Amino acid sequence: MCIIKSINYKFDPGSWLPAKMKKRISIHDIARELNLSATTISFVLNGKAEEKKISEDVRRKVSDYIKKVGYQPNMIAKSLRTGKTRVIGMLVEDLSDPFFSGISRGIETIAYDHKYKIFFASTENDTEKTKALIKVFRERQVDGYIMAPPCGVEDEISALMEDNVPVILFDRYLPSLNTNTVIIDNFSGSYQAVKHLQENGFSNIALITLNSEQTQMHARLQGYSKAIEESGFQPVVQKLPCKLSHQAGAEMVREFIKQHDKVDAIIFATNYLAISGLQAIRDLGLAIPGNIAVVGFDDNTHFNLFTPSITAVAQPTEEIAQEVVHQLLNALSNERESKKRRMVMLPVKLIVRDSSFPKVIKKIVHSQPSTMKTS
Amino acid sequence: MCIIKSINYKFDPGSWLPAKMKKRISIHDIARELNLSATTISFVLNGKAEEKKISEDVRRKVSDYIKKVGYQPNMIAKSLRTGKTRVIGMLVEDLSDPFFSGISRGIETIAYDHKYKIFFASTENDTEKTKALIKVFRERQVDGYIMAPPCGVEDEISALMEDNVPVILFDRYLPSLNTNTVIIDNFSGSYQAVKHLQENGFSNIALITLNSEQTQMHARLQGYSKAIEESGFQPVVQKLPCKLSHQAGAEMVREFIKQHDKVDAIIFATNYLAISGLQAIRDLGLAIPGNIAVVGFDDNTHFNLFTPSITAVAQPTEEIAQEVVHQLLNALSNERESKKRRMVMLPVKLIVRDSSFPKVIKKIVHSQPSTMKTS
DNA sequence: GATTCCTATCTAATCGTTTCAAACCAGGAA
DNA sequence: TTCCTGGTTTGAAACGATTAGATAGGAATC
């Protein structure tokens, strides 16, 4: 445990002089300096020069000066006065989860292009933590919310909507609430996954999912059940507790596989469940898809690099991000628009790879290692 | 392309009444209601009741009332008055990169525990974009900065430091600047990687890195060079352009491998280079480590699930996050402390897995599939 | 010459806090 | 009665912007 640490030293010998902290320049300083009023400066600054008929002369004088001194307006003051912060509060389940960090990244880019900043926070799917975060965001007067909400925050969200604060939900929604929402076709995702496995000769298909009431998990279960039901086989569903470490998850999947030796294919309902599951299958020394086929939910940059590569239901993260921001900006910019509620459901794509076919044809090296099949 | 979209409908028939927008309750409203002054309310609210000798009676009256009406202070106004926002600006290269999103997650948690919020933004390693982001953050009066800076922003950072705004750099630093910094021992990381490969029989070891002047990349190159030099072999270094798509990266690694058929091991200097590299190796149908051994930089949740599992230099992300926040909070809370500069270098760990050994001993099933060896 | 209209600019209130300095109120001392 | 003192409470000025409404000065209209 070599810690090469604390290369410690003092800096800047004379810097604690009478705390000279050169005060940041304000709009009034500029006004005084140029013998104008703050109002005029403000007009020029906010592009109202035309509208307010500020003379060309003054306009130039002001813009030259602010450039010269590098004036930076104080957004805090501006926000206090206008009531708008141009900040969006974003709540995801876990910022380090690739699905959420991918979406966050997309949203960040578009939002910054529109001069909005974002507070990101992870809810960990914890109702109380989420409530606290919403409270904090309210104190900070964020203009709008984007969230993948846990259950139990209906009241807080209603309160926001009653105060005309735009809220966009994504990934899941709250059935009792009429909100703007962007989700994907989870039902179709797992339905397709089952059908695909069946077409490739697998019949004892299990679903490993979370013990969660959230809509996206529910829809995935429904899609699975419907497809299984249509085929006349028996559904085999295992629900794992929500907050599970990677190791504990792997452990539980191992147990599940041991106790269900007839299962020849597993669909994992989230990306981290798939990772735990792959770990379990590897620990047990089973072959994919020889002993057991696998389909994941949420594609992952790495799934095509696994051996075998992993079939997955891919979510259109880029589009989700776009749609979410689009809805939010709409609601923010347009009083009338903000009264409408819309739910958008985006399609998923089943990315077929080696982990899910074929069961019967053995040892055939298929020339196309990674095919794509669209829903 | 089935888009089940725009389930559009109006909501809330009577909600555009005389814009009744119930005004948020302020400290003055409370004061009026309780026949007290705003000052008193403020004292109670900020825990100064003791110090200011507010009577027990008044104290209770105030706190009961604010609880009853669910008063939420306006942080914007507070910030304007105090000059403190309790917001941290965080600039990473790419929020969707697992390394950065992992660190961000860690920092988020600790910061929120200390009642700080965070603006996250991705620099994409772009100097101009970063300058713009710093400007935006300044306008928003963030209290402190955490960044993994690109080259070329020295002036902006100096300006911040001159204004006594705390700045903590991580992952890399700017040599011309005397800043608070948290980095890892990159030199040792690649040095160990080379030594490890050599001990396992590989001699023609290449480094695939980025064409970047950043300190972390430089140190990784130095560590590699030093180790190679000590062994008397020839260094083989390939520098790829910084902004490269996964596909383009794979393409370039493929070319590299084709043109260097003597190379029997490759060290990838970042996690995404490793991913591109693995793709390339797979595309070429080469065996790991039979044809070519592989070591990555930055461990990845998935590396132990690859077949073979991938050896990597692991960064202590949790500790990095802790150290960064610790330094920042120190600087924020402590005027005197904020004048000190310290650089902390944390150790790395080489996680040895199947992708890097053994070269000579063939076909031996090693009983421990995933060993860990500590630096 | 008085009235109106434009143009170009300014005064002052406001947003919701914090905080300095002053005020108020008892009770005790002079 | 006046003064002092210490414990409570308050008035009002910040903080740095926006913005409705005022204003001043000239040109145009009657």
Side-chain angles (χ1 to χ4, degrees):
Chain A
M1 280 297 115
C2 61
I3 303 198
I4 310 162
K5 198 166 164 172
S6 296
I7 306 165
N8 234 349
Y9 46 93
K10 278 278 200 178
F11 179 62
D12 194 354
S15 83
W16 63 277
L17 297 175
K20 61 176 179 176
M21 201 64 153
K22 55 171 177 262
K23 197 172 78 60
R24 284 184 49 154
I25 182 170
S26 87
I27 206 170
H28 284 105
D29 300 328
I30 300 176
R32 198 175 326 112
E33 198 66 32
L34 297 181
N35 271 318
L36 287 166
S37 81
T39 308
T40 309
I41 315 292
S42 175
F43 287 158
V44 176
L45 246 39
N46 295 329
K48 298 209 181 137
E50 206 71 49
E51 174 192 345
K52 299 290 183 175
K53 327 239 178 201
I54 306 294
S55 69
E56 191 52 48
D57 189 30
V58 170
R59 260 180 249 194
R60 195 171 25 251
K61 200 157 62 164
V62 173
S63 38
D64 284 356
Y65 187 78
I66 64 170
K67 201 160 294 161
K68 183 179 130 208
V69 298
Y71 165 74
Q72 292 187 322
N74 182 329
M75 296 302 275
I76 301 292
K78 185 171 185 146
S79 294
L80 177 59
R81 180 61 231 254
T82 61
K84 297 285 161 226
T85 53
R86 287 196 94 81
V87 172
I88 294 167
M90 175 143 181
L91 294 174
V92 298
E93 189 174 316
D94 177 0
L95 193 52
S96 65
D97 177 289
F99 171 68
F100 287 112
S101 71
I103 297 227
S104 300
R105 177 72 168 84
I107 288 179
E108 175 211 332
T109 305
I110 315 179
Y112 273 73
D113 282 350
H114 289 84
K115 308 224 179 288
Y116 278 91
K117 314 293 150 269
I118 306 189
F119 283 132
F120 288 100
S122 305
T123 65
E124 294 168 25
N125 256 334
D126 177 317
T127 305
E128 290 313 313
K129 190 175 179 204
T130 306
K131 287 184 185 175
L133 287 169
I134 293 177
K135 183 162 173 241
V136 164
F137 283 0
R138 295 210 81 172
E139 288 179 352
R140 286 221 141 70
Q141 322 279 125
V142 308
D143 287 348
Y145 292 76
I146 297 173
M147 30 181 150
C151 304
V153 296
E154 285 81 355
D155 289 351
E156 282 70 19
I157 296 185
S158 312
L160 287 172
M161 295 199 299
E162 265 174 39
D163 292 351
N164 287 316
V165 182
V167 178
I168 317 288
L169 306 187
F170 75 101
D171 188 53
R172 61 206 69 178
Y173 61 98
L174 301 170
S176 66
L177 245 43
N178 182 5
T179 52
N180 277 299
T181 308
V182 179
I183 52 173
I184 57 152
D185 192 349
N186 290 290
F187 182 95
S188 161
S190 45
Y191 184 90
Q192 283 178 58
V194 171
K195 291 292 176 185
H196 159 73
L197 285 165
Q198 289 175 339
E199 281 162 17
N200 285 282
F202 300 93
S203 50
N204 241 298
I205 304 167
L207 175 73
I208 295 194
T209 181
L210 295 176
N211 188 7
S212 159
E213 288 307 307
Q214 290 173 353
T215 54
Q216 83 283 22
M217 302 317 289
H218 187 251
R220 289 172 198 179
L221 174 57
Q222 291 303 108
Y224 164 85
S225 302
K226 180 80 186 314
I228 294 287
E229 192 183 302
E230 286 176 5
S231 69
F233 287 102
Q234 279 299 309
V236 184
V237 175
Q238 175 76 344
K239 295 187 179 184
L240 303 186
C242 283
K243 288 190 184 179
L244 218 50
S245 72
H246 173 56
Q247 288 313 324
E251 170 72 30
M252 298 192 77
V253 176
R254 248 182 348 251
E255 278 314 301
F256 171 83
I257 293 175
K258 277 194 214 156
Q259 287 168 17
H260 295 78
D261 51 359
K262 291 224 201 71
V263 164
D264 59 2
I266 302 183
I267 300 172
F268 293 99
T270 77
N271 59 10
Y272 49 93
L273 282 176
I275 295 298
S276 293
L278 290 169
Q279 176 80 60
I281 291 169
R282 169 170 247 216
D283 293 348
L284 292 170
L286 297 174
I288 302 175
N291 299 116
I292 202 155
V294 166
V295 175
F297 222 103
D298 294 351
D299 196 25
N300 184 303
T301 342
H302 303 155
F303 277 176
N304 72 324
L305 289 177
F306 279 74
T307 314
S309 56
I310 308 295
T311 298
V313 178
Q315 303 202 35
T317 49
E318 193 59 41
E319 287 177 46
I320 295 175
Q322 275 173 13
E323 182 63 35
V324 164
V325 181
H326 176 242
Q327 285 196 19
L328 184 57
L329 292 179
N330 241 10
L332 284 170
S333 62
N334 194 321
E335 182 67 15
R336 175 196 306 274
E337 197 67 24
S338 79
K339 291 292 191 306
K340 290 193 202 148
R341 301 284 181 263
R342 72 165 40 185
M343 171 174 287
V344 171
M345 184 186 274
L346 298 169
V348 296
K349 243 187 204 168
L350 182 69
I351 312 276
V352 175
R353 298 203 188 91
D354 299 343
S355 73
S356 60
F357 79 95
K359 180 172 187 169
V360 276
I361 312 156
K362 297 162 201 157
K363 308 275 165 181
I364 290 200
V365 181
H366 25 297
S367 53
Q368 76 282 47
S370 153
T371 320
M372 276 173 55
K373 196 171 144 190
T374 306
S375 66
Chain B
M1 281 295 115
C2 61
I3 303 196
I4 310 163
K5 200 167 162 169
S6 295
I7 307 164
N8 234 348
Y9 48 93
K10 280 277 200 178
F11 179 63
D12 195 355
S15 81
W16 63 277
L17 298 175
K20 60 176 179 176
M21 199 65 152
K22 54 173 179 261
K23 197 171 77 62
R24 284 184 49 153
I25 182 169
S26 88
I27 208 170
H28 282 106
D29 300 327
I30 301 177
R32 198 175 325 112
E33 198 66 30
L34 297 181
N35 272 319
L36 287 167
S37 81
T39 309
T40 308
I41 315 294
S42 174
F43 287 156
V44 176
L45 246 37
N46 295 328
K48 299 213 180 132
E50 205 71 48
E51 173 192 345
K52 299 290 182 176
K53 325 243 179 197
I54 305 294
S55 68
E56 192 51 49
D57 189 30
V58 170
R59 259 180 250 193
R60 196 171 24 251
K61 200 158 60 164
V62 172
S63 38
D64 285 355
Y65 188 77
I66 64 169
K67 201 161 294 162
K68 182 179 130 209
V69 299
Y71 165 74
Q72 291 187 323
N74 182 328
M75 295 303 276
I76 300 292
K78 184 170 186 149
S79 294
L80 177 59
R81 180 61 229 250
T82 61
K84 298 286 162 226
T85 53
R86 287 195 95 83
V87 172
I88 294 167
M90 174 143 182
L91 293 174
V92 297
E93 189 174 317
D94 176 0
L95 193 53
S96 66
D97 177 287
F99 171 68
F100 287 112
S101 71
I103 299 232
S104 300
R105 177 71 166 86
I107 288 179
E108 176 210 331
T109 305
I110 315 178
Y112 273 73
D113 282 349
H114 289 84
K115 307 224 179 289
Y116 279 91
K117 314 292 151 269
I118 305 189
F119 282 132
F120 289 100
S122 305
T123 66
E124 295 168 24
N125 258 331
D126 176 318
T127 306
E128 290 312 313
K129 188 174 180 204
T130 306
K131 287 184 186 176
L133 287 168
I134 293 178
K135 183 163 173 240
V136 164
F137 283 0
R138 296 210 78 173
E139 288 180 352
R140 286 224 142 71
Q141 323 279 123
V142 308
D143 288 347
Y145 292 76
I146 297 173
M147 31 181 150
C151 304
V153 297
E154 286 80 356
D155 290 351
E156 281 71 19
I157 295 186
S158 312
L160 287 172
M161 295 199 299
E162 265 174 40
D163 292 351
N164 287 315
V165 182
V167 179
I168 317 289
L169 305 187
F170 77 100
D171 188 53
R172 62 211 63 180
Y173 60 99
L174 301 171
S176 65
L177 246 43
N178 183 5
T179 51
N180 277 299
T181 309
V182 180
I183 52 174
I184 57 150
D185 193 349
N186 289 291
F187 182 96
S188 162
S190 44
Y191 184 91
Q192 284 180 56
V194 171
K195 291 293 177 184
H196 159 72
L197 285 165
Q198 288 175 339
E199 280 164 17
N200 285 283
F202 301 93
S203 50
N204 241 299
I205 304 168
L207 175 73
I208 295 194
T209 182
L210 295 176
N211 188 7
S212 159
E213 288 307 306
Q214 291 173 354
T215 54
Q216 84 283 22
M217 302 317 289
H218 187 252
R220 289 172 198 181
L221 174 57
Q222 292 302 108
Y224 164 85
S225 302
K226 179 80 185 317
I228 294 286
E229 193 183 300
E230 286 177 6
S231 69
F233 287 101
Q234 279 300 307
V236 184
V237 175
Q238 174 75 343
K239 294 187 177 183
L240 304 187
C242 283
K243 288 192 184 177
L244 217 51
S245 72
H246 173 57
Q247 289 313 324
E251 170 73 28
M252 298 192 77
V253 175
R254 250 184 345 251
E255 278 313 303
F256 171 82
I257 294 175
K258 277 193 213 155
Q259 286 168 17
H260 295 79
D261 51 359
K262 292 224 202 71
V263 164
D264 59 2
I266 303 183
I267 300 171
F268 294 98
T270 77
N271 59 10
Y272 49 93
L273 282 176
I275 295 298
S276 293
L278 290 169
Q279 176 80 60
I281 291 169
R282 169 170 248 222
D283 293 348
L284 292 170
L286 296 174
I288 302 175
N291 298 116
I292 202 155
V294 166
V295 175
F297 222 103
D298 294 352
D299 196 26
N300 185 303
T301 343
H302 303 155
F303 276 175
N304 72 324
L305 289 177
F306 279 75
T307 314
S309 57
I310 307 296
T311 298
V313 178
Q315 303 202 35
T317 49
E318 194 59 40
E319 286 177 46
I320 295 174
Q322 274 173 13
E323 182 63 35
V324 164
V325 181
H326 176 242
Q327 285 197 20
L328 184 57
L329 292 179
N330 242 10
L332 284 169
S333 62
N334 195 321
E335 182 68 14
R336 173 195 308 274
E337 196 68 24
S338 78
K339 292 292 191 306
K340 290 192 201 148
R341 302 285 182 263
R342 72 166 39 186
M343 171 173 287
V344 171
M345 183 186 274
L346 298 169
V348 296
K349 243 187 206 169
L350 182 69
I351 313 278
V352 175
R353 299 203 187 91
D354 300 342
S355 73
S356 59
F357 79 94
K359 181 172 188 170
V360 277
I361 312 156
K362 296 162 200 156
K363 307 275 165 182
I364 289 202
V365 180
H366 24 299
S367 54
Q368 77 282 46
S370 152
T371 321
M372 277 173 56
K373 197 171 142 190
T374 306
S375 67

